[in-house]
Amino acid sequence: MTSLQNLELAVDEACCAPSGQAVLSAEDAQRKALVFKALADPNRLRLLSIVKGAGGGEACVCDLTEPLDLGQPTVSHHLKILVDAGLLHREKRGTWAYYSLVPGAIEQTAGLLASL
Amino acid sequence: MTSLQNLELAVDEACCAPSGQAVLSAEDAQRKALVFKALADPNRLRLLSIVKGAGGGEACVCDLTEPLDLGQPTVSHHLKILVDAGLLHREKRGTWAYYSLVPGAIEQTAGLLASL
DNA sequence: CACATGGATTGACATTCATCGATATAGTTG
DNA sequence: CAACTATATCGATGAATGTCAATCCATGTG
């Protein structure tokens, strides 16, 4: 991570410019692309799907490793990308880390498409 | 291109399974990821934006090379990815190739998010 | 405190990707 | 047909990405 240190909640930031009919600026395109990059991996899409359908709307890493058939470090890595993109929320309780959908983030991302 | 020879119109194919509450299958995730991969590049987002805002809803490569500050082969490459993803339509008239948004494709892609 | 466990981080490696220069193809025009 | 123009394709190259094994950190529990 070089110049893009702390770009959490990319979903929020990706819709700051007035938007509308003008051509997407390079900067706005960059921000929006970050969100879609997070969605551009089959395993990450499945992670979102599993978390969405999980009981209580949250799941811990141990629940996610097996269905994806991936190692724990890899799952942890994907989850971090989804958190950085503003799509997932992470809450640590005791030894476990619980991940849940950020409310409205999916809809907001869909909105990014409409405001192209 | 190896085993993924002819997967044009990925947007259409990416929503075939019944979908709903079940966890995304690996195959569905793969298909949906292809569409988001096409959107996961700032220059491709700008291409969509420019085509969307262009007069007559279409633009040729020569209109797109300059605003992106990219070489013609690179722009052509990006356009092909967007066409393969089912987001853009290509029509060749004379020497020029005119690109336009596939009607409903953007909305359909937004729908992919809702049906995660 | 020693140990076990859930999870994050690091480093390495192979694959994919964005970009470019060079070239090929296909219309257009003289 | 020759020259020109608009695009597409090819080959190479450097950067980004997905994955894993190993390790580290924190929180429990005996």
Side-chain angles (χ1 to χ4, degrees):
Chain A
M1 217 176 272
T2 57
S3 62
L4 304 171
Q5 310 95 331
N6 214 354
L7 51 87
E8 307 217 341
L9 295 180
V11 170
D12 271 342
E13 300 179 7
C15 56
C16 295
S19 89
Q21 62 285 21
V23 167
L24 206 55
S25 76
E27 295 74 24
D28 286 349
Q30 178 89 29
R31 277 190 289 270
K32 296 191 178 189
L34 277 172
V35 182
F36 291 119
K37 256 196 250 269
L39 295 169
D41 179 275
N43 287 317
R44 286 199 287 271
L45 289 179
R46 298 189 77 197
L47 282 175
L48 288 177
S49 173
I50 295 175
V51 169
K52 182 181 180 185
E58 58 181 15
C60 62
V61 180
C62 54
D63 295 332
L64 301 168
T65 294
E66 183 223 325
L68 289 200
D69 197 33
L70 288 178
Q72 173 265 317
T74 304
V75 172
S76 213
H77 172 238
H78 285 311
L79 288 169
K80 177 172 171 41
I81 290 174
L82 290 170
V83 169
D84 288 350
L87 296 167
L88 282 188
H89 172 251
R90 182 184 113 104
E91 184 189 352
K92 187 154 188 182
R93 287 203 301 273
T95 314
W96 289 271
Y98 293 93
Y99 288 86
S100 55
L101 288 186
V102 168
I106 302 284
E107 295 77 1
Q108 210 168 330
T109 304
L112 291 186
L113 285 170
S115 68
L116 268 184
Chain B
M1 217 177 271
T2 60
S3 62
L4 303 173
Q5 310 95 332
N6 212 356
L7 51 88
E8 306 219 340
L9 295 179
V11 171
D12 271 342
E13 299 179 9
C15 58
C16 295
S19 89
Q21 62 287 19
V23 167
L24 207 56
S25 77
E27 295 74 23
D28 287 348
Q30 178 89 29
R31 277 190 290 271
K32 296 191 180 190
L34 278 172
V35 182
F36 292 118
K37 255 196 252 271
L39 296 168
D41 180 275
N43 287 318
R44 286 199 288 271
L45 289 179
R46 298 189 76 193
L47 282 175
L48 289 176
S49 174
I50 295 173
V51 169
K52 182 182 180 185
E58 57 181 17
C60 63
V61 180
C62 54
D63 295 332
L64 301 168
T65 293
E66 182 225 323
L68 289 200
D69 196 34
L70 288 178
Q72 173 266 319
T74 303
V75 172
S76 214
H77 171 239
H78 284 311
L79 288 169
K80 177 171 171 42
I81 289 175
L82 290 170
V83 170
D84 288 350
L87 296 167
L88 282 188
H89 172 249
R90 184 184 112 106
E91 184 188 354
K92 186 152 191 185
R93 287 202 303 270
T95 315
W96 291 269
Y98 292 92
Y99 288 87
S100 55
L101 287 185
V102 168
I106 302 285
E107 295 78 0
Q108 209 168 330
T109 304
L112 291 187
L113 284 172
S115 69
L116 269 186

